[in-house]
Amino acid sequence: MTEIADLIIKVAAAIGAVGGISGVIFGVYNWIVKQNRQDDEIKELRDEQALICYGVLAALKGLKEQGCNGPVSEAITKIEKHINVQAHTWHE
């Protein structure tokens, strides 16, 4: 009778160990999938922000052509500098 009880305990322990290990593996897999999804979303946001930045720069240059100076010229300089720095530091 004790042999059967020992066997049941060992089988239950093995099932528990397999379940625990598979749970950890499943958790790591889900975490990796989530990170990859976030990386894709971040890339999309960066692309969108770049387009917005170029649009703002175009609008500012249009204002400068119409005679606006001062803050417009300063903003154009800063945006162009920012774009240049990002172009040299952005690693894909």
Side-chain angles (χ1 to χ4, degrees):
M1 188 64 136
T2 58
E3 292 176 10
I4 294 174
D6 287 339
L7 180 63
I8 291 172
I9 290 172
K10 288 179 183 178
V11 169
I15 291 172
V18 169
I21 291 170
S22 63
V24 169
I25 291 171
F26 184 70
V28 169
Y29 172 77
N30 281 340
W31 181 79
I32 290 171
V33 168
K34 181 179 176 184
Q35 293 302 312
N36 289 338
R37 193 175 320 126
Q38 286 178 347
D39 289 346
D40 293 341
E41 290 174 1
I42 289 170
K43 185 183 180 324
E44 289 175 12
L45 288 173
R46 290 187 82 161
D47 292 343
E48 183 179 343
Q49 287 178 340
L51 288 174
I52 291 170
C53 189
Y54 289 128
V56 169
L57 181 60
L60 288 171
K61 285 186 175 183
L63 286 172
K64 187 171 183 177
E65 287 177 4
Q66 293 179 359
C68 297
N69 284 326
V72 171
S73 299
E74 183 181 334
I76 290 171
T77 302
K78 287 183 178 181
I79 289 175
E80 287 176 339
K81 181 179 178 183
H82 172 75
I83 290 171
N84 190 24
V85 168
Q86 289 299 313
H88 293 291
T89 60
W90 187 8
H91 302 287
E92 291 188 44

